[in-house]
Amino acid sequence: MISCREDVTKMILSAKVRKGIKWRDVTEATGLSKEWTTAACLGQMTLTKPQAEAVGKIFELSDEAIAWLQIVPYKGSLPTAVPTDPLIYRWYELVNVYGTTIKELIHEEFGDGIMSAIDFSMDIQRTEDPKGDRVNVVLSGKFLPYKSY
Amino acid sequence: MISCREDVTKMILSAKVRKGIKWRDVTEATGLSKEWTTAACLGQMTLTKPQAEAVGKIFELSDEAIAWLQIVPYKGSLPTAVPTDPLIYRWYELVNVYGTTIKELIHEEFGDGIMSAIDFSMDIQRTEDPKGDRVNVVLSGKFLPYKSY
Amino acid sequence: MISCREDVTKMILSAKVRKGIKWRDVTEATGLSKEWTTAACLGQMTLTKPQAEAVGKIFELSDEAIAWLQIVPYKGSLPTAVPTDPLIYRWYELVNVYGTTIKELIHEEFGDGIMSAIDFSMDIQRTEDPKGDRVNVVLSGKFLPYKSY
Amino acid sequence: MISCREDVTKMILSAKVRKGIKWRDVTEATGLSKEWTTAACLGQMTLTKPQAEAVGKIFELSDEAIAWLQIVPYKGSLPTAVPTDPLIYRWYELVNVYGTTIKELIHEEFGDGIMSAIDFSMDIQRTEDPKGDRVNVVLSGKFLPYKSY
Amino acid sequence: MISCREDVTKMILSAKVRKGIKWRDVTEATGLSKEWTTAACLGQMTLTKPQAEAVGKIFELSDEAIAWLQIVPYKGSLPTAVPTDPLIYRWYELVNVYGTTIKELIHEEFGDGIMSAIDFSMDIQRTEDPKGDRVNVVLSGKFLPYKSY
Amino acid sequence: MISCREDVTKMILSAKVRKGIKWRDVTEATGLSKEWTTAACLGQMTLTKPQAEAVGKIFELSDEAIAWLQIVPYKGSLPTAVPTDPLIYRWYELVNVYGTTIKELIHEEFGDGIMSAIDFSMDIQRTEDPKGDRVNVVLSGKFLPYKSY
Amino acid sequence: MISCREDVTKMILSAKVRKGIKWRDVTEATGLSKEWTTAACLGQMTLTKPQAEAVGKIFELSDEAIAWLQIVPYKGSLPTAVPTDPLIYRWYELVNVYGTTIKELIHEEFGDGIMSAIDFSMDIQRTEDPKGDRVNVVLSGKFLPYKSY
Amino acid sequence: MISCREDVTKMILSAKVRKGIKWRDVTEATGLSKEWTTAACLGQMTLTKPQAEAVGKIFELSDEAIAWLQIVPYKGSLPTAVPTDPLIYRWYELVNVYGTTIKELIHEEFGDGIMSAIDFSMDIQRTEDPKGDRVNVVLSGKFLPYKSY
Amino acid sequence: MISCREDVTKMILSAKVRKGIKWRDVTEATGLSKEWTTAACLGQMTLTKPQAEAVGKIFELSDEAIAWLQIVPYKGSLPTAVPTDPLIYRWYELVNVYGTTIKELIHEEFGDGIMSAIDFSMDIQRTEDPKGDRVNVVLSGKFLPYKSY
Amino acid sequence: MISCREDVTKMILSAKVRKGIKWRDVTEATGLSKEWTTAACLGQMTLTKPQAEAVGKIFELSDEAIAWLQIVPYKGSLPTAVPTDPLIYRWYELVNVYGTTIKELIHEEFGDGIMSAIDFSMDIQRTEDPKGDRVNVVLSGKFLPYKSY
């Protein structure tokens, strides 16, 4: 009995290691970005029926698991409020160190409002650099203004 | 008596509102990016003597305050581990929802290691869009590999 | 020296009690809803110059305080993550008890996405009822869909 | 052996996905609002015997599970004090940003007391809007005054 | 400048010690129970104008402070979620040890609902006992049923 | 293998629902108050051998489970420091709102010390009331004075 | 204006350093144990009038401060739930490492109940030891049994 | 498969109840104090091979479990930072109420340093007392001085 | 089904005790430092295929488990933010007591930046000492400077 | 009025920036290591009279402040349990990632016990390295064994 999306995420992660699947292989099957596809496999996004079936085929999931991939999950991928994993912590640190800076600069440019985390996309790329390759990330979020009413 | 950098940040914020200063004005004075300059004024980065004096002139700071701007601050700009401000929370949410995704994709591309939050730069830009302008952010961090020893 | 919006909120609250001002008086001055106006006075929204001046006149604020009302505040009005005040706690309880219900029903109707807390309005009304008057609240938030990319 | 209501909630959620049941189907069977019915299925409300049997029939529950649906549950549907799921977080954010505003306006209208979360109902509706459909929620709670004694 | 009820509570506590006032003296002035009167002086209840003036006279409060006593306070009298003071902790312990028992017995008697903490009164009395005097407390709260809708 | 009292509590709760047992039935078997008996069944008190056997007979427990009922349990019945269940939360709220009041009044009457939560009894009764029946609770705890040494 | 006992504790600590007072000097003035006397000066116990006056004389306290020493304080001397100071942490560690052991042994000897922290005394002594002097602490607390009712 | 010491602790506790073993019986087998022996059985200390075998014989443990008893455990016996069990809480309360007192008196006697929780022993005894028997606990820890370097 | 690295860590720890393996035996097999090798076995580092096979042979792991050893783990080895185990706590205490000192001295020597925890190595050695042997630890981390941009 | 060591730490930090003092200057005056001296100035260690006077002279402290430097402080230099400052966080991360590794290796070498954080010294040095200079830290702590009793 599968009773939450997390059960399916565990099946996917288990199959991924057991069968040596790469996220880029999954991306080819869905025809979507590697960021969105991976997030969906990790239980953060909702797949359409064809997407879920494509993912299910790769990871050899049961029909029940494939059905769960089409259900909106309870989101949030981290086990603690402050992440302990060093790679993810660095992102938390950016938010902590630069948080007020980001806030000030977006407000100076756009006024009061937020950068959407829903109407949003992310692109992670490797950039070669003689001093050590870099991770380049482009985040794009619609600005949503607060308005008086 | 000034006993921590936060006292100086408060002076800067107070003068900024009182005198109607924009961060872009400060950026011109330092000749550096708006992101780094703002972070420095908000108590997260360390200024050189000329930078501190330029900033001090704009915000009419005392010599003591200018000296503090050249001292490495205790970093972290948020009052709570999970930020309550909606704009900053959206960034925390990105880390929470996409955290494991970012981790998987960087590791698939680079192997074990992290994206540096120190050898790092950020660029925040407005992109016009007929469906609503977007905030575009480019993050660039050196990849630092874990190595066995 | 005013160094954060909270200082201005305290001035407003102090003047409100000292002078016996009602929120509805402030609402008349701004010409906006009582909900938005009150939230702005309590340090959660950003006022335009005329709005800030109208509010400043009512509460006899200094020019510096009026300038701060036009600055985007660091939002979040509660001192603890779980509110201790009984009236506000009941709202927290609603989110806790009905949170998954709200999530299920919005997703069943709209698919994956959120109800915006930015493109949002709230209207609080008294409804007379022989068994005891009721508080009626209408919340309206734009649905923002997650889309694959 | 079933030893808490949460076990039954998991059975319901599992059957719901496996059999493609919609909450509106369940609502028809109970003859009650979709909000209350869903909350009950998610382990937050107590069903009468006929309601429990109707629900049990839809989800093919055992007699033991149906008996549990008639037991008052330990309420609270969220795994963390501050919810990580973006949809539910937006509601937490509303309470955080507007909490003091709601408090002020209800007290200005009614005096000291609370808006009941028990003698309470909720109605969630879709409103079509050319700029993007909206979620409209009507909350109705009896005002309960504090009285001196 | 007084900007929150807590400032007035401090004035009352300071005057109480300085002038050797007893809560029972204050109770006589308000004509209400010692429990409600004390809670009001400690910033948890709202006084009417005559009550506030009577209290103000006893503690020699300013008009501004007396005005604050008539404003609904942000309630919650404890500095930490789990109280450190031994007397108050014992009450927290009772809720922790007997919490599920209280829940079971009230539900067995009344069905689903709560015992109101608003339509509520408390009476604390000393009972002489040869084995050591006892504190006897009578709590009375209206039962509020959850109803389906 | 039973390795903690909580395992036995789950067995009792499961049998209670499965067999439709009422706490008052258990009370008759033990000959003690319904409050103490229920607390014991919920894993907060220690039963004597005859009491444990009487309880074991009602819930059809194994000898091993009956042995565990005679072992002093690790007490505390709530899963979180601040309870999420509305009925239990109301009690937490009483401690939070009235905590300092209770402290002041007991100290004014008895001097420094505490109201015991060990040499303690509780009696929960329904009181009929035309405006809605009430839950009446009598708490009785021995006063234990701090003494200098 | 003194509004809480903590203000008086600060005065005592300040005078103690400024005037080079030892706790043993204070103990002589009160005629009580050094443990109780020190705890009282640190804001955890309530002094009688003569004791308060003796303490006040040593630390040159105002009459207002001396009055506060006779008021039951809000107890708890640590700024965080888990103490950061190494000496105090070792005690917390003892409770954490030996907590279940202490519980088992007291219950095996006495049955269900607690060791009182109110009817309690503590004696801290130095014991010479060639391998390094030792701190010897004797704790004595009355056993209080839980009884059924 | 046993993968942590906690699994063995559960086996011991289960066998203890099932077979009616007393800690004093175990103590006789190890020839050590009841405090250390009990702590070891509860997963806080490391046994030698003969001690582990003696303990294993009493509780009928497998060879694998006996091997685990000889492995240094991850110490800490409490499920929450602030213990909920009343007996253990009283000890936490002592640390909280008397923490700064203990610190002051040890420092006055010994200077800067700590009382060791490693080079440490504890002895818990019953003392008869006509007013109610007492728990007497002697703690002995080596004083470890901080030294400059 | 293995679904996270923690499952493999448990297998390793279980086999280690069952078969009496020492970390130094594992170190010989990998040819790397004992610190890195142990951290890898405890689920904190990523092994190459030959290293994973060598480790797998020692602990008799399945092919699936060996595959997991080559996957970058979610790092963080402690169950609570503040560790309860005395040995590990001492390290937390060092960071807490000496944290600002380390920060000041590194900044005085190097300017603003950090000591890397990624380009890092650790060496733990026993040093004989007549007053008691010592643990000597050498930590070496690359200094990474913050630079303006 | 100085009422805690933290007040003196603030005076020292303020004077340090105002007068451009380096920690190495202070070290020369005390004749002790830079690590211990800095920790003492930051409120973590206790100075002798001559050391306090030397430090007081450098920072132009009052006699009262110099007296406080000779009082054992309440230790702990970080404002939050998990440090937000990136440099200090890296050390917390080391404890988190390597914590169980350090524990295993010390126990394998020494048996059960701890590495003392009291009988302890630290030496921080710069090591030149063509790939980027390194911070080298040597920690030396006496091993303290747990012994049975």
Side-chain angles (χ1 to χ4, degrees), chain E residues 82-84 86 89-90 93 96-97, chain H residues 83-84 86 89-90 93 96-97:
Chain E
V82 178
T84 61
Y89 182 81
R90 295 308 178 276
E93 183 177 303
N96 209 324
V97 170
Chain H
T84 62
Y89 183 81
R90 294 307 178 275
E93 183 176 304
N96 209 325
V97 169

Side-chain angles (χ1 to χ4, degrees), chain F residues 56-76:
Chain F
K57 201 169 170 189
I58 291 174
F59 294 108
E60 294 181 1
L61 301 176
S62 66
D63 284 354
E64 192 181 355
I66 290 171
W68 271 95
L69 289 174
Q70 304 168 53
I71 298 294
V72 184
Y74 189 93
K75 296 181 173 76

